[in-house]
Amino acid sequence: MPSKYRSNALAAVHETAADLHRVGGMDQKTMRKFDALCLTPIQEMTPEKIRALRTRENASQTVFAAYLNVTPSLVSKWERGEKRPQGASLKLLSLVDRKGLEVVA
Amino acid sequence: MPSKYRSNALAAVHETAADLHRVGGMDQKTMRKFDALCLTPIQEMTPEKIRALRTRENASQTVFAAYLNVTPSLVSKWERGEKRPQGASLKLLSLVDRKGLEVVA
DNA sequence: CACACTATAGCACTGAGTGCTATAGATGAA
DNA sequence: TTCATCTATAGCACTCAGTGCTATAGTGTG
């Protein structure tokens, strides 16, 4: 699990403030850094949460898996706590949580 | 890599047709199956493609990684062909490709 | 010059994810 | 009732994606 993003982002703010302090404009890179700070924090997903999410979307494990481009077997394991989603998988799940299955269609 | 989705989806169409044949409406599950067929196919991502994608979005590897909730180290490896994204990572990348970095913010 | 950011590189490690098969509970149709 | 289909669970072996860390070099900026 990425652990440095939060502090990295905070560091970015600090630097961004410094950039703003300097008269002139923000360049694209700085904009991006600022954006990164605005990223929705990713929270852990419990097995229950994942299942609730899927049923909320009226999807079977198979269909749900198809949306996420993973195997149905993996979705089953997530829901039974045998594996826990991380990185990109977790990001995708939290995206579905906030915006629905449609956004990943 | 999931390999059965395509044929599963085709099977779903067949069944959906049967469902429609039966007088009445489609239920939510069937709808979902139909939706699954409409999923944008995921194409492989070459290292060049990934780098082009990131630079198109004006993001450093670090910022790009933050968006995808992975480590900067991994992005570097993707771009150098040391690792190839799969499953959820690939899905996320193709999402950014089609809709831009903002959608995963 | 020094400082900060960026990217590359290498290495050891681990567990997420794959692929397969088998089982059993629903559900629904003939 | 039986037959068939979809669904979910389970177990197992395997592999490589992803992590975490550190060090290096290039670039640009004050």
Side-chain angles (χ1 to χ4, degrees):
Chain A
M1 266 159 273
S3 56
K4 299 164 65 183
Y5 298 157
R6 221 49 205 159
S7 50
N8 272 1
L10 290 177
V13 171
H14 193 268
E15 192 206 343
T16 303
D19 287 343
L20 287 176
H21 173 260
R22 173 178 37 159
V23 283
M26 298 167 70
D27 57 12
Q28 283 180 326
K29 282 181 183 173
T30 312
M31 286 287 292
R32 279 297 180 203
K33 280 180 187 172
F34 194 79
D35 284 354
L37 215 220
C38 298
L39 282 176
T40 315
I42 309 285
Q43 71 281 16
E44 290 267 313
M45 286 265 188
T46 67
E48 299 76 30
K49 171 88 181 178
I50 297 177
R51 165 159 301 174
L53 182 54
R54 177 177 61 81
T55 55
R56 191 193 76 189
E57 303 287 336
N58 287 317
S60 69
Q61 292 182 342
T62 303
V63 170
F64 196 67
Y67 271 87
L68 303 184
N69 194 39
V70 296
T71 54
S73 165
L74 181 56
V75 173
S76 167
K77 284 166 188 173
W78 283 343
E79 295 188 359
R80 284 176 291 123
E82 188 177 328
K83 304 281 183 181
R84 7 195 67 226
Q86 279 181 331
S89 306
L90 192 53
K91 177 74 187 187
L92 216 40
L93 283 171
S94 97
L95 233 140
V96 170
D97 186 23
R98 299 196 334 271
K99 305 193 178 183
L101 256 189
E102 320 308 332
V103 297
V104 298
Chain B
M1 268 160 272
S3 57
K4 299 164 64 183
Y5 298 156
R6 225 49 206 159
S7 50
N8 273 359
L10 289 178
V13 171
H14 193 266
E15 193 205 344
T16 303
D19 287 342
L20 287 176
H21 174 261
R22 174 178 37 161
V23 284
M26 299 166 70
D27 57 11
Q28 282 180 325
K29 282 182 186 174
T30 310
M31 285 287 292
R32 279 297 179 204
K33 280 180 187 173
F34 194 80
D35 284 353
L37 215 218
C38 299
L39 281 176
T40 315
I42 310 286
Q43 70 280 16
E44 290 268 312
M45 285 266 188
T46 67
E48 300 75 30
K49 171 89 180 176
I50 297 176
R51 165 158 301 174
L53 182 52
R54 176 177 62 82
T55 54
R56 192 191 75 189
E57 302 289 334
N58 286 316
S60 68
Q61 290 183 344
T62 303
V63 169
F64 196 68
Y67 270 87
L68 303 184
N69 194 39
V70 297
T71 54
S73 166
L74 182 56
V75 173
S76 167
K77 283 166 188 172
W78 282 343
E79 295 188 357
R80 283 175 293 123
E82 188 177 328
K83 304 282 183 180
R84 6 195 69 226
Q86 280 180 331
S89 306
L90 192 53
K91 177 74 187 187
L92 216 40
L93 283 171
S94 97
L95 233 143
V96 170
D97 187 23
R98 298 197 335 272
K99 305 193 178 184
L101 256 190
E102 321 306 333
V103 298
V104 299

